[in-house]
Structures are given as C-alpha cells and as structure tokens.
Amino acid sequence: MKIQVTTITRSPRGNPMRSTRVVEGDQIRLGRGAECELRLADPRVPLHTRTIMPGRHGAQMYDAFEYNADVTGVYRPQLLTPGTVLKIGPFQLEVAEHGEGVDLALTVELVQPLPGRSRLSADDVYEQARRSPLSKRALSWSLFAIVLAIFLIVPTVAFFSDRDAGSTAQAQLAKPGASPFKIASDASWNPGELAGAHQPFASNCKTCHSDSFARVQDKDCKACHLGMGDHVNKQLGHVAGLEEVRCASCHRDHKGADGLKQQISHYFMGECSACHKDIKAHLPTTTTENVSDFAKGHPEFRVHFMAGLSANGDALVKRQRLSGKTALQEQRGLKFPHDVHLDPRGVRGPQGLVKTDCGSCHVADSSGVNFKPVSMEKHCQSCHELRFEIAAPERQVPHGNVDNVITTMREFYSYLAINHVVLNRPGQDTGARAIPGRAEPGQLRLNGNADVERQVQVAAQEIFERTTCFSCHEIKRTEKDGKPYWEVAPVKAALAWMPKARFSHDRHEMTACTTCHASKDSKSAQDVLMPGIETCRGCHAGAAPERRKIVSNCGLCHGFHVTEMANPHVLPWPVVPVGKPVNASSP
C-alpha cells in the first residue's frame, strides 16, 4: 500500500511549513524505532506503537500489541476515514482526502514539543563564551576537565572499586549491590531503562557487562538463560551468518520496560519469512517446507508419534505430516474406544449408565498446557472393577504387575483352604451379559477343596481373558514354570505430538475438546487425534486481518531457539528415532 505523509513543522513565528513524501510497504509501522516506515522521532513514542494495513473497506490501523504473540481474542481495527484525528504520544495525525495513486493521506504534526530548549544555538554558545572572564581556550579545557571527571573518572573509580558485586543476576539478587554513591556515579552511562524482567539487577551493571568497557557477551546472557539453544541444530547443517550473531544483536536492552517484548513481536511479524519462504536456499539439507504466512503459505502440521516398539521395548518415534486421506496410528499397547465412552446416552457401569466426557479423564495440570496422567485408580476403576471372585465381590486384584495379580489370588484361595471356608456361588448360568470387571453370574469354580492352584488358574484365566484385562489391554497367553501365564503388552504414555509448538489448552477452554479432536468418531486408542491446519485456520488468520479471526504471526506457535524436547516427563523410556534426523523446531 502507498501512504502520502505530509509533515507539518512550525517556524519560530508559528507559521506552518509542510513537506510531503510517499511511504510504501505491505504494512506501515509507526513508532520511534529506526525500522518503522513512518518514524515518529520522540522519546515519548514507543519503538513500535501502531501498524497500518489495507482492509476490505480501506486502510486500517492496529495497535502494535494486537500483533503480539500473546493474543487471546479477536481485535477490531480502527478504520481510517477522512477527518479521523489520532493522537500518538506528542504527535497528532489527521486523515485527509487522498488523490490518485495512494491508498491513504496523513498529516503529522508534533503538537506537544519537549519542554524547554533541547540545545543551545551556535550563537548562544559563542555569546556565553565571549562574556566569560576566561579565554575561549581556557574555558574549553576547563569544561572538558569537568566533563571528564564527572562522566569518566568518577564512574570508572566506582566501577573498579566494587569488587564484591556478583557477575551474575543470581549473585546480584543474593547480594544487593552498590552504594548510593556508585549508583549515582555511573547513571550517566545508562542509555535507557532496562526491560521489566531485568529490573531486579538494574543497579549492578556488572551483571551483564562482566568485562570492563566491553559489549555484553553471550556468556553473560546464558548465565541466567540456561539451556538456550541455537536457531538451527549444528548437527543438521551450517547456515551462513548465524554463527556470527550475538544474543544482543537481536535482543537490545535499555529500550524501556517493554522494549524487548516489542522487538520480539516486531521480529515475528515478518522477519521469519525472510529465510523460511525459501528455506532450502539457506539450508539445502532441511526437510522443512517453505513458510510465508499461516493463512496461505504454511504446510500441513508434522507430528511425532510412536510407530511401534523395538525388540527391547523402546519406542520407535516417527515424524510425519498429517494427511486427510490416511489417519496416523501409534502403537501404545492400549485398547480404548473413544466413541464408546463419549456416547451421549452414557456407558454401562456397576451403578447403571454413566455419562462421561473428555474432562472425565483428561484433567489439565497447573500450567494449562499439559494434562495430568490418566490412572486406573482415579479414572477407570469406578466402572472397570477388578473383582475376580463372584462370591467375594469386595475383593479385587491390584492393577499392574501380572505376578502381583496371581499372588493376590493365591493368597485369597489359600486362606479359604486353610480355614475351610466354602464359597456360596450361584450354581446356574443366568445368561446375563457381564459388566466389564465383574465375573459372569453363572461362572462355576471349585468349592470346598484344597486345590488352590486350580482355583487360581481358573480365576486368572477368567479375569485376563474374559471379563477384565482383555477389554483394555493386549493379552498374550504363555506358560511359566509349567503353568499358564499371561503377558500384558506395556502401555506407553502418548507422546507430545507437536513438542516444539507453543499451545495452551487453558486459553482454548471456551472451545469444546471435540471441536479440534475427532474423538467422537475414534474407535481405537491408536488414533493420532491431532487436528490438521485447516481446523486451526477456522479461528486463526495469518498476518493480514480477517473478520472474526485472530491475527497470528510465527511467534504465536513457534520459538526461535532450539531447546530440549518439550514435556520430557512423558518420555520416560529411551527414544529411537525413525528415518533421517530432522529439525524438531520446524513446522
């Protein structure tokens, strides 16, 4: 889009002077930052305060924070129509009628200049020097000596005398810093206010500037920001230029309390696509596809899932893009039909029909991102009871190890044999269908004798193969010490399907789980119920605003630095990757 900008300045007599220029760009940023297309040079204006973009009915203005990665709602832009007057800090912007060849006409005027005279004119300096009793040379050297003492010698002495100050933020917090004299002495060196997160050690420059009169080094940043990785894993390939980039090349502090946040927001608005729109030109070996915009230039999601288990039980992890044609399956060793448990009529339990939903088993943890582990005792056993003897319904076997199950049965039937307890079981088969976890009413076992092992075998065969365990687990019947034995396939917790994505379930709690996850139609626990990109596009737009959608930049879902695998607690077993190594941070 093209904007005609007319800047109004005032002569000493107050007469307006106008200068006109044309600003072009896909989006026009306003602020005092040097990267802004329409720069408002005044310290009272944020680095990036507004953004103008074309809309359906003309040019529209957005607040810069509406483009921040941390958004939770739909933002309504301000339509710029002729006659609209805006105030941005000390500047007044007025929308005027525009002519042919431009999309918008703006007049910009500084209506609230800084109080006082910001500098002396050359005539003022000459006049003051002429009236001084000292010669111009003597006055110049005197002023130079004063400036040298106040702004160099005193701060330098204070800097080197503070030998006890820590070199890291942790040390600074543990040992509050310098004296008031030292704080005041080097205040003249401070180019601006630190970011809000760095305020606790703002009085100790050595926290970040560990070497005297040297720029901030990466080791100073990483003393606090532990585990911060590179943008591209060095094992994957070399990207020219990235090795020379320092932390402070992108993260420039002393720009105000929100300075770092605004810089990151600005970066994710368009800088990512500078490389990723033709990613193979920068890293030919990558498996990442080109990305330019979420709404119209983003590939389908790629997910991590368990393709199976190795011979020694390790998870074989595969990374593959979703496809609407073939549903991905992961081998977890669990049989669980989501569609049965989400039946709106309810599922049959010991006390009758029970209506369950996603929240019955999946409970978010305190982070709002992940979920607490699903356990048999908390979420399943109320319906799937572990009874093994119809005549003693209060007795249940423990959930877990097969040996513990058989030992519990053996102890129970041994007690009956030793104490000559005869069980009172029904003798006729009623033909009724058994509820999961309960023995069939007509099942007969040996009564009143000491053949404990025979009773254990009959009860174990029933619970493993007919009534309980087989309904959720994959069971294989074998032999052990010449007796029947059962092997239960190990259950693996679900992987984080997109471990590098920034996604909060807590911020999507106003939306039903089934809006994104097709669990109502899933008949197997092996289904990877990760929604595709079109599901997300139903609510999320790209960089260009759309009606009733959230403007979404790269930083909304992605981070810049490659870090350790997200949610490591869900990966308690060794991981054996399948296929070529890939960059886990790529889309």
Side-chain angles (χ1 to χ4, degrees):
M1 64 181 304
K2 292 184 179 181
I3 298 181
Q4 178 181 300
V5 180
T6 301
T7 304
I8 300 177
T9 57
R10 300 283 175 175
S11 67
R13 296 184 178 182
N15 298 322
M17 297 180 292
R18 301 174 182 268
S19 61
T20 302
R21 60 192 176 100
V22 174
V23 178
E24 279 187 73
D26 294 334
Q27 59 179 10
I28 307 300
R29 294 163 294 185
L30 287 74
R32 81 168 190 274
E35 72 280 1
C36 292
E37 288 78 12
L38 182 49
R39 188 164 181 262
L40 304 176
D42 190 282
R44 293 166 291 180
V45 177
L47 289 173
H48 178 200
T49 180
R50 298 286 193 278
T51 299
I52 299 176
M53 297 186 68
R56 181 179 303 176
H57 303 291
Q60 296 176 326
M61 177 176 286
Y62 292 82
D63 188 276
F65 287 101
E66 296 175 6
Y67 275 72
N68 194 1
D70 187 15
V71 296
T72 57
V74 177
Y75 294 98
R76 304 183 185 279
Q78 181 176 2
L79 187 62
L80 300 178
T81 57
T84 302
V85 177
L86 305 169
K87 289 294 294 286
I88 300 180
F91 290 89
Q92 176 175 298
L93 282 70
E94 184 174 354
V95 181
E97 294 286 350
H98 61 82
E100 295 292 335
V102 296
D103 302 300
L104 183 68
L106 286 178
T107 61
V108 181
E109 181 179 3
L110 179 65
V111 295
Q112 295 179 350
L114 288 169
R117 301 175 68 179
S118 58
R119 66 178 65 182
L120 293 175
S121 66
D123 293 338
D124 293 333
V125 173
Y126 175 79
E127 186 64 24
Q128 293 292 337
R130 190 179 64 82
R131 295 177 181 177
S132 172
L134 300 175
S135 65
K136 288 185 289 184
R137 183 178 297 277
L139 180 60
S140 299
W141 279 107
S142 300
L143 293 176
F144 172 76
I146 294 173
V147 171
L148 186 68
I150 296 176
F151 298 108
L152 181 61
I153 298 176
V154 173
T156 301
V157 171
F159 183 86
F160 285 106
S161 65
D162 188 13
R163 298 294 184 184
D164 296 330
S167 60
T168 65
Q170 290 88 341
Q172 170 63 16
L173 293 174
K175 198 180 287 186
S179 66
F181 168 76
K182 294 171 184 175
I183 294 175
S185 65
D186 62 5
S188 60
W189 292 0
N190 191 344
E193 182 184 7
L194 284 176
H198 295 166
Q199 288 295 330
F201 46 86
S203 61
N204 186 5
C205 301
K206 289 184 180 180
T207 302
C208 298
H209 300 273
S210 58
D211 293 340
S212 304
F213 302 101
R215 62 186 184 179
V216 176
Q217 304 174 56
D218 287 353
K219 65 180 182 67
D220 301 323
C221 301
K222 292 181 178 180
C224 293
H225 297 273
L226 303 175
M228 191 61 64
D230 300 319
H231 181 54
V232 176
N233 192 321
K234 294 180 179 178
Q235 297 178 352
L236 301 178
H238 171 78
V239 178
L242 284 181
E243 286 76 8
E244 304 300 326
V245 177
R246 303 164 46 240
C247 299
S249 298
C250 301
H251 304 285
R252 299 179 180 273
D253 209 340
H254 293 285
K255 301 294 184 181
D258 294 324
L260 290 177
K261 183 178 181 181
Q262 290 176 341
Q263 291 173 48
I264 294 172
S265 174
H266 164 71
Y267 181 87
F268 280 124
M269 276 303 299
E271 298 297 332
C272 298
S273 62
C275 291
H276 281 269
K277 65 183 179 182
D278 187 11
I279 188 63
K280 289 189 180 295
H282 302 273
L283 186 60
T285 58
T286 186
T287 59
T288 300
E289 295 184 10
N290 292 336
V291 179
S292 57
D293 183 81
F294 181 74
K296 55 188 177 181
H298 195 291
E300 183 56 89
F301 296 147
R302 190 162 46 173
V303 298
H304 286 70
F305 65 100
M306 286 182 289
L309 299 176
S310 64
N312 58 356
D314 295 334
L316 298 175
V317 181
K318 188 176 182 181
R319 194 157 187 249
Q320 182 175 332
R321 293 201 184 275
L322 295 172
S323 172
K325 299 179 181 179
T326 305
L328 299 181
Q329 300 277 324
E330 61 179 353
Q331 306 299 320
R332 297 180 51 201
L334 182 68
K335 293 189 291 185
F336 180 87
H338 278 93
D339 59 340
V340 172
H341 291 79
L342 294 178
D343 190 330
R345 297 171 297 181
V347 293
R348 192 156 62 109
Q351 307 302 324
L353 289 178
V354 178
K355 293 185 177 181
T356 58
D357 56 19
C358 301
S360 301
C361 299
H362 301 286
V363 181
D365 60 14
S366 58
S367 69
V369 177
N370 304 311
F371 289 88
K372 298 178 181 178
V374 177
S375 67
M376 173 69 180
E377 293 76 12
K378 292 181 180 179
H379 304 101
C380 308
Q381 199 161 343
S382 60
C383 290
H384 295 268
E385 296 175 324
L386 301 178
R387 300 175 181 181
F388 63 95
E389 174 54 61
I390 188 175
E394 73 283 354
R395 293 301 303 271
Q396 299 189 36
V397 294
H399 181 263
N401 187 275
V402 174
D403 290 332
N404 292 341
V405 172
I406 295 177
T407 300
T408 300
M409 292 179 176
R410 184 175 290 113
E411 291 173 349
F412 175 76
Y413 289 113
S414 297
Y415 173 84
L416 298 182
I418 293 172
N419 293 277
H420 305 288
V421 178
V422 178
L423 298 178
N424 182 21
R425 299 193 182 100
Q428 298 296 326
D429 191 336
T430 62
R433 184 180 178 182
I435 295 175
R438 288 190 175 186
E440 294 185 6
Q443 179 65 36
L444 294 177
R445 300 195 191 95
L446 300 177
N447 275 314
N449 61 44
D451 193 354
V452 173
E453 290 303 321
R454 174 59 179 162
Q455 296 195 67
V456 170
Q457 290 178 20
V458 172
Q461 182 177 356
E462 184 174 333
I463 195 172
F464 280 115
E465 299 181 12
R466 296 184 60 189
T467 62
T468 304
C469 303
F470 87 103
S471 62
C472 298
H473 298 277
E474 297 176 2
I475 307 294
K476 180 181 179 181
R477 186 175 181 177
T478 61
E479 283 192 5
K480 183 178 182 181
D481 299 330
K483 300 176 183 179
Y485 193 77
W486 293 265
E487 293 181 358
V488 180
V491 176
K492 299 295 186 181
L495 292 177
W497 288 327
M498 297 181 69
K500 292 297 181 179
R502 293 179 175 179
F503 181 86
S504 172
H505 285 91
D506 192 30
R507 295 193 175 178
H508 293 76
E509 61 182 355
M510 74 292 293
T511 304
C513 303
T514 52
T515 302
C516 300
H517 302 284
S519 51
K520 287 186 176 181
D521 300 323
S522 174
K523 300 181 181 297
S524 172
Q526 298 180 1
D527 293 338
V528 176
L529 300 178
M530 181 68 200
I533 191 172
E534 290 303 323
T535 301
C536 299
R537 284 172 174 166
C539 296
H540 290 268
E546 295 183 32
R547 181 175 175 80
R548 298 186 179 277
K549 289 188 178 182
I550 300 172
V551 174
S552 305
N553 57 37
C554 302
L556 187 64
C557 301
H558 296 282
F560 181 84
H561 298 278
V562 176
T563 55
E564 296 298 326
M565 179 70 74
N567 306 330
H569 62 276
V570 304
L571 300 172
W573 59 89
V575 176
V576 182
V578 173
K580 297 181 180 179
V582 293
N583 188 350
S585 66
S586 59

